[in-house]
Amino acid sequence: MPLKGGIPVNCGAAEFVRQLGRDKNIWIIGGNTILAPLLDEDLVDCMILQIAPVLLGDGIPLFSQKEGRKRFALKEVKKYGPFPELVYVRA
């Protein structure tokens, strides 16, 4: 059963985003398994990171793209209770 207002996708994140085209603004929620392929394909223009004050120990790293250096500039910082939100744009 499809999600209300959602579109089921049966391909990788990078392939799906490339199919949409560069002129689209899309919102992707997820961790490293979604973010790393998009960074590898240079498909990320803006990142919004929300940080929870909980240390998980042996978790999955957020950034594990193949290329070591991607430049983003901090654009905005917001606070929602105990959660900071950092907005970065491609530099």
Side-chain angles (χ1 to χ4, degrees), residues 9-89:
V9 175
N10 192 19
C11 64
E15 181 181 340
F16 177 71
V17 171
R18 273 195 308 276
Q19 290 173 9
L20 294 174
R22 278 281 195 193
D23 61 331
K24 303 288 185 193
N25 289 320
I26 60 171
W27 181 33
I28 297 174
I29 300 173
N32 178 54
T33 55
I34 294 176
L35 182 59
L38 297 173
L39 288 169
D40 286 338
E41 298 289 329
D42 202 29
L43 295 170
V44 178
D45 295 323
C46 176
M47 290 189 291
I48 300 172
L49 306 175
Q50 291 182 334
I51 301 169
V54 176
L55 299 176
L56 299 175
D58 289 335
I60 299 170
L62 178 58
F63 301 103
S64 68
Q65 74 280 359
K66 293 175 187 170
E67 184 180 319
R69 182 167 292 185
K70 302 282 183 185
R71 295 204 180 265
F72 287 84
L74 181 63
K75 178 181 176 185
E76 188 175 353
V77 177
K78 297 177 185 175
K79 182 179 175 189
Y80 299 100
F83 304 101
E85 179 179 275
L86 311 172
V87 178
Y88 288 92
V89 294

Side-chain angles (χ1 to χ4, degrees), residues 1-9:
M1 181 167 118
L3 298 171
K4 184 174 182 176
I7 301 169
V9 175

